[in-house]
Each structure stands twice: as C-alpha cells, then as structure tokens.
Amino acid sequence: GAVVSQHPSWVICKSGTSVKIECRSLDFQATTMFWYRQFPKQSLMLMATSNEGSKATYEQGVEKDKFLINHASLTLSTLTVTSAHPEDSSFYICSARTGKRSTIYFGEGSWLTVV
Amino acid sequence: AQTVTQSQPEMSVQEAETVTLSCTYDTSESDYYLFWYKQPPSRQMILVIRQEAYKQQNATENRFSVNFQKAAKSFSLKISDSQLGDAAMYFCALTGNQFYFGTGTSLTVIP
C-alpha cells in the first residue's frame, strides 16, 4: 500500500529554538496533507489542512505564526514549530491523500520534547 | 462545521466475543467518507474500514463491519470473534474537505 514517511521520529530541542518535521508521500502524489497533534490518551487534534501550492488552512485556536506549514510539492509537507516552548511538547502526526475520495495514509508520527 | 462523537471512552470484550463501538457525526457536506482507525500503543494509525456516504451497503472487512445509518448520522463498528490483537484505541473519522477524528474508544480484550 501507499507509504507516508515522517521524519524525525523523535526530536529534543531547547526552548526558544525552532524544529522542522517532514512528511513525505513515498509512492503517490499527495494533493492534501493534514497535520495533527495528539496529547497522551487523547484524540488527534487537527491543526491544519495543507493543499499543494497554496497556503495551509489552520483550525481555530492554532497559531499559524508558531506552527508554520509548507506544502511546496506533491510529495512533501513540513511543519515547523517556531520558538518552541515546553508546552509544545507533544506527538505530531501527518496524513496524506491524493484526492477527496481517496484513502488517507498516515505517517509514523513525531515525538517532540522541548526542554 | 463537522463533528465526530464517540460516547464510549472505554469498552471491554471477552476474547472470541463480539463488540460494537459507537460513533455519531454531523456534517454540512454532502460528499463525505467515514472511517474507523485503530491506534495501538506504537501510535501508528491503522485503517480498519472505510464507508462512502453515498453507498447504502454497509462496508465489511473480514471480522470488522459497520452499521451506517445515514439519516441518523450514526456509524458504528462491530468487531466479531475478538482477538487479543484487537486491543487498541479506536477512532471514528469523517472526511470531506477536512479530516476530523472522534475522541476515541479504548478497547480491552479479556483472555
């Protein structure tokens, strides 16, 4: 089946620095990618919807200047957490699809720890 | 706006028995799809089953089947012959232009 690769799986960064997480569709063209945040024992919270070549659509309450999302190509989307703080520590996961009616595939997720 | 509601935070089932997980949703879109995903402790999201809203026939996938009631906006998952490997968090999800998840149901399988 289709594969979505997310990197890095684990990252530790210092408070105040920025960190980038990549989401790649390895064998299909992802016209849309979704970024989620998941707290322990909770559901996936949709942060933003990213369509290739256009600006991401952020969910209410998500700071677009803090969580920068870029979807410059059909196979790559990136999430950059800027000026990270300990409260940004979480599990971040991406998913991708080719079209509105297609199956959605998930990356493996990334654990971010801000110290 | 789209919402997905799972009213059962936790469920348990005896091995080899059947269990049903509930999900209700609301959407203003006419073209949408419903999913059940499984998330084991590894956190990898695994697609269990998918239902196109325009199809009346309930989707089935081996031991997994759904009861899709479009008018009631209900989408429950039935797991037959439960196995120990079925233990996980189960999320109901709705997609149209966005992709939203319910709050999840933690399923325990008792040997």
Side-chain angles (χ1 to χ4, degrees):
Chain A
V3 177
V4 175
S5 176
Q6 193 170 334
H7 178 81
S9 300
W10 300 82
V11 58
I12 300 174
C13 70
K14 290 185 177 181
S15 186
T17 63
S18 296
V19 61
K20 181 183 288 187
I21 300 170
E22 294 186 346
C23 181
R24 293 181 183 272
S25 56
L26 299 185
D27 53 0
F28 68 98
Q29 293 185 326
T31 56
T32 304
M33 288 187 172
F34 304 94
W35 285 95
Y36 299 87
R37 182 173 182 177
Q38 187 178 30
F39 293 102
K41 298 185 179 181
Q42 293 189 24
S43 185
L44 281 72
M45 181 190 75
L46 179 63
M47 299 175 68
T49 301
S50 169
N51 291 300
E52 186 268 337
S54 60
K55 290 184 178 180
T57 301
Y58 288 81
E59 294 297 300
Q60 193 171 12
V62 178
E63 299 176 62
K64 60 181 68 176
D65 293 332
K66 181 169 187 60
F67 299 99
L68 301 179
I69 292 172
N70 182 280
H71 191 169
S73 77
L74 285 171
T75 59
L76 174 65
S77 177
T78 60
L79 166 66
T80 302
V81 183
T82 63
S83 187
H85 290 284
E87 56 265 31
D88 298 326
S89 299
S90 190
F91 184 70
Y92 293 87
I93 190 167
C94 70
S95 65
R97 67 182 185 190
T98 57
K100 190 175 178 180
R101 295 189 170 191
S102 69
T103 297
I104 297 172
Y105 301 94
F106 281 85
E108 309 94 329
S110 300
W111 284 100
L112 169 64
T113 300
V114 184
V115 297
Chain B
Q2 294 177 311
T3 60
V4 182
T5 302
Q6 292 178 251
S7 60
Q8 307 154 314
E10 298 178 345
M11 291 283 284
S12 61
V13 61
Q14 289 285 146
E15 193 175 4
E17 296 296 309
T18 296
V19 65
T20 298
L21 308 183
S22 301
C23 174
T24 58
Y25 65 92
D26 194 15
T27 180
S28 56
E29 298 189 41
S30 57
D31 185 17
Y32 61 91
Y33 300 78
L34 295 157
F35 302 83
W36 279 97
Y37 280 89
K38 169 184 176 181
Q39 187 181 44
S42 68
R43 294 278 189 140
Q44 178 68 51
M45 297 295 286
I46 301 168
L47 177 64
V48 175
I49 201 164
R50 161 189 164 123
Q51 174 80 44
E52 290 85 355
Y54 61 86
K55 288 186 177 179
Q56 291 185 333
Q57 187 173 7
N58 289 324
T60 62
E61 194 69 45
N62 300 316
R63 298 182 295 107
F64 300 89
S65 61
V66 299
N67 183 4
F68 175 45
Q69 301 290 326
K70 190 171 183 177
K73 294 185 177 177
S74 170
F75 181 62
S76 60
L77 174 69
K78 185 171 80 172
I79 306 174
S80 305
D81 186 26
S82 297
Q83 300 175 358
L84 294 177
D86 294 333
M89 281 292 290
Y90 285 81
F91 293 101
C92 178
L94 166 68
T95 183
N97 292 317
Q98 278 77 37
F99 186 30
Y100 293 100
F101 284 82
T103 50
T105 297
S106 177
L107 179 66
T108 301
V109 180
I110 303 167

